[in-house]
Each structure stands twice: as structure tokens, then as C-alpha cells.
């Protein structure tokens, strides 16, 4: 059972669509899929799933996990399909990995993808004033970082994180002497994301930029985070975010599930996807 825990990109991306693939044959009632580029790097692409019926539909942006250094949107197709079948226009993002560019490139990529989606909203039956971000693990960190970027992002009505790494600094300290190999790996991954340096001296600024809660402001998007009680990205990761956003009047809900499942396996736990979908429906319909 889930339990609550107490406690704009610069420039104007204009790449043209590269692939169009209607999938009517799969019995999805005219649902279409298109892969588009939002930048020049090979990782700067996203799949768009939409229903070309002339209506404006709320949007869901999905951001995969993978330690910031791996993973791919292709592994998200089952989840993407679920939201498309619920009637949303869905954007399934790839982004530059930490081996391609250090932070904040990943946040910049998400912002650029959103900007392109909003620019071509009519083409994709998308309401640019009504969308949410859903991120998994490292993708949850990117989504939450977009949620606290600046003083609100136009049209963003909510952010969901499944096992989101809200505090890379916490991950860095937790992994220093932990017997848990995943916590040690996460520490190493955070260092790589920061450009290969520890959170001190000349690198303190990039680490500060990576800390989601430190950028809380009153127009930020409401957030829902979900953690397993005993996973290597524990619920305490989200507690500072809940506190900091709460101080400026932005609601944050932190849910816990029993066990150790992380990211997508956590999402597939009984009741989790339904709870997430209900929260999204409350925000964008």
C-alpha cells in the first residue's frame, strides 16, 4: 500500500520532424507516432504520440532514467502507450547523457523539447498550456529540476518523480561509505554528471545547480514523488523538496511503497501507476 510521508530554454529550436509512423494497425483508434529532433546532437530527440483529431489534448512528457549515463526512450514504450491510450499527447524524451555533456545539459534538453512541443502544439493536438512531466530515477531528477527552474515554466501543471534523485549532494554523501553498491554507484554517477568533480571549490556551483530543492519558488509546479521505503533512493530524498516548496506555498506529495523496487519496477507495483495517473488527471484532466 502506498503511504504519504509527512514531513524556458534559451533560443528557438526549429528542427523538422524526421520520422512519421501511423500505428492504426495496432488498434489504437488513429493514434500516430512521430520521432522529431529538438537539437543537433543524436540524443536530442523525442517520440510524439498523439491523436490527429483536431482537439487540443493535455500533454505528458516522459523522461527515462539510467544513472544520467545510460537508458533510452525505447524502453519507455509500454508506459508511453498507457498514457496515449488515456487520451494524452505524449512526448517520450531522449537527452544528452553525462558522457555527452555535464549538467545542466540534461535540464536544458528537457526545456528545449518542451519549447519545440509548445511551438508545434497544433500539429500534435497538444494544449501548450496544460502538461505534466513524469521522470524515472535520474529522469525524475531532470523533471523535478525543470519544475523548480526559474519562477515557473509556462503551462507546466505538475511534476511526477518515480524514485527521483532530488538531491545529488545527498546521494554523494550517502554513497561515501555505504555497503550498498547501488548507493556507491549513484555517488559516482552524480560526480560524472557534475563534470567529474566533487562538490567543492570550482565545482560547488554546478552541484548547487543540481540540487532541486534549493531552487524552490512560489510559481513552481506541484510535485508528486514516489519511493520504495527501503530502496537506494529513499523517501528522505524528497523531504527537503517538500519542506522548501511548502515554504513558498507549492504542494508536494511524497508517497512510499513497501520494499526495495526502484524506478520503473516501482511504477509497476500494484496501485502505483493508478495513483500517479489519478494525480495527473487532477492537474490536467
Amino acid at each position: 500500500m502506498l503511504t504519504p510521508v509527512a514531513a524556458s530554454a534559451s533560443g528557438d529550436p526549429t528542427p523538422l520532424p524526421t520520422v512519421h509512423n501511423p500505428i492504426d494497425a495496432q488498434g489504437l483508434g488513429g493514434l500516430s507516432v512521430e520521432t522529431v529532433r529538438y537539437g543537433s546532437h543524436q540524443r536530442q530527440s523525442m517520440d510524439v504520440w498523439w491523436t490527429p483529431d483536431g482537439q487540443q489534448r493535455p500533454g505528458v512528457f516522459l523522461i527515462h532514467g539510467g544513472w544520467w549515463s545510460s537508458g533510452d526512450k525505447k524502453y519507455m514504450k509500454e508506459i508511453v502507450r498507457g498514457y496515449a491510450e488515456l487520451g494524452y499527447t505524449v512526448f517520450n524524451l531522449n537527452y544528452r547523457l553525462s558522457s555527452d555533456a555535464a549538467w545542466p545539459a540534461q535540464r536544458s534538453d528537457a526545456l528545449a523539447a518542451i519549447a519545440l512541443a509548445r511551438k508545434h502544439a497544433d500539429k500534435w493536438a497538444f494544449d501548450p498550456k496544460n502538461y505534466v512531466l513524469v521522470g524515472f530515477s535520474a529522469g525524475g531528477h531532470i523533471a523535478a529540476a525543470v519544475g523548480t527552474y526559474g519562477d515557473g515554466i509556462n503551462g507546466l501543471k505538475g511534476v511526477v518523480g518515480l524514485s527521483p534523485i532530488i538531491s545529488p549532494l545527498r546521494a554523494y554523501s550517502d554513497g561515501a561509505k555505504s555497503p550498498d553498491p547501488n548507493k556507491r554507484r549513484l555517488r559516482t554517477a552524480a560526480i560524472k554528471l557534475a563534470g567529474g568533480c566533487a562538490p567543492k571549490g570550482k565545482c560547488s556551483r554546478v552541484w548547487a545547480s543540481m540540487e532541486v530543492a534549493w531552487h524552490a519558488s512560489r510559481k513552481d509546479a506541484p510535485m508528486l514523488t514516489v519511493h520504495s521505503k527501503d530502496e537506494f533512493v529513499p523517501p528522505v530524498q524528497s523531504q527537503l523538496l517538500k519542506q522548501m516548496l511548502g515554504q513558498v506555498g507549492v504542494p508536494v506529495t511524497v508517497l512510499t511503497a513497501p520494499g526495495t523496487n526502484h524506478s520503473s519496477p516501482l511504477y509497476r507495483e500494484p496501485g502505483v501507476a493508478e495513483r500517479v495517473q489519478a494525480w495527473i488527471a487532477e492537474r490536467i484532466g
Side-chain angles (χ1 to χ4, degrees):
M1 176 182 294
L2 288 170
T3 56
V5 177
S8 84
S10 60
D12 183 19
T14 56
L16 295 176
T18 56
V19 178
H20 181 257
N21 178 28
I23 52 175
D24 300 344
Q26 299 185 29
L28 295 179
L31 191 65
S32 293
V33 178
E34 190 168 8
T35 299
V36 300
R37 302 186 64 84
Y38 60 84
S40 58
H41 192 278
Q42 62 179 359
R43 291 281 309 179
Q44 292 172 313
S45 68
M46 62 181 172
D47 301 329
V48 187
W49 296 53
W50 86 102
T51 304
D53 59 1
Q55 298 185 39
Q56 277 197 327
R57 296 169 180 268
V60 175
F61 289 78
L62 293 169
I63 308 178
H64 71 78
W67 309 91
W68 300 287
S69 62
S70 62
D72 193 274
K73 59 183 172 62
K74 66 185 179 183
Y75 301 118
M76 300 289 292
K77 284 186 177 179
E78 179 183 345
I79 295 172
V80 173
R81 183 185 301 277
Y83 284 100
E85 289 176 340
L86 288 172
Y88 299 107
T89 294
V90 187
F91 303 89
N92 184 23
L93 276 60
N94 268 350
Y95 51 88
R96 285 172 291 173
L97 303 175
S98 56
S99 56
D100 302 315
W103 186 264
Q106 297 70 29
R107 181 181 63 195
S108 297
D109 284 357
L111 289 166
I114 292 168
L116 186 68
R118 298 184 78 239
K119 180 176 181 179
H120 297 288
D122 288 345
K123 174 180 175 60
W124 294 317
F126 167 50
D127 181 354
K129 298 179 181 178
N130 197 27
Y131 59 92
V132 298
L133 309 182
V134 182
F136 295 75
S137 191
H141 170 252
I142 297 167
V146 171
T148 60
Y149 183 73
D151 190 19
I153 303 296
N154 286 339
L156 179 59
K157 299 298 179 63
V159 174
V160 178
L162 281 302
S163 305
I165 301 132
I166 296 297
S167 174
L169 277 173
R170 177 76 186 230
Y172 176 86
S173 60
D174 283 355
K177 297 181 180 179
S178 175
D180 185 336
N182 283 324
K183 288 191 176 184
R184 297 197 302 271
R185 182 181 177 186
L186 186 58
R187 171 188 167 96
T188 301
I191 293 170
K192 185 175 182 179
L193 181 67
C197 54
K200 57 185 178 181
K202 65 177 183 179
C203 291
S204 59
R205 181 172 294 182
V206 67
W207 281 85
S209 175
M210 286 156 53
E211 287 296 294
V212 174
W214 292 5
H215 304 281
S217 57
R218 64 183 182 85
K219 293 184 180 179
D220 290 341
M223 297 199 193
L224 168 69
T225 67
V226 189
H227 299 262
S228 291
K229 182 177 182 293
D230 299 312
E231 66 161 301
F232 68 94
V233 182
V236 69
Q237 276 272 346
S238 291
Q239 287 307 307
L240 179 59
L241 178 66
K242 181 180 178 72
Q243 177 186 349
M244 297 295 285
L245 279 173
Q247 289 177 1
V248 294
V250 178
V252 176
T253 302
V254 183
L255 301 178
T256 60
T260 60
N261 277 339
H262 172 78
S263 190
S264 297
L266 171 59
Y267 185 78
R268 291 192 290 269
E269 281 283 300
V272 174
E274 292 81 2
R275 185 68 182 270
V276 169
Q277 291 164 3
W279 189 90
I280 290 172
E282 289 173 1
R283 300 291 168 305
I284 61 175

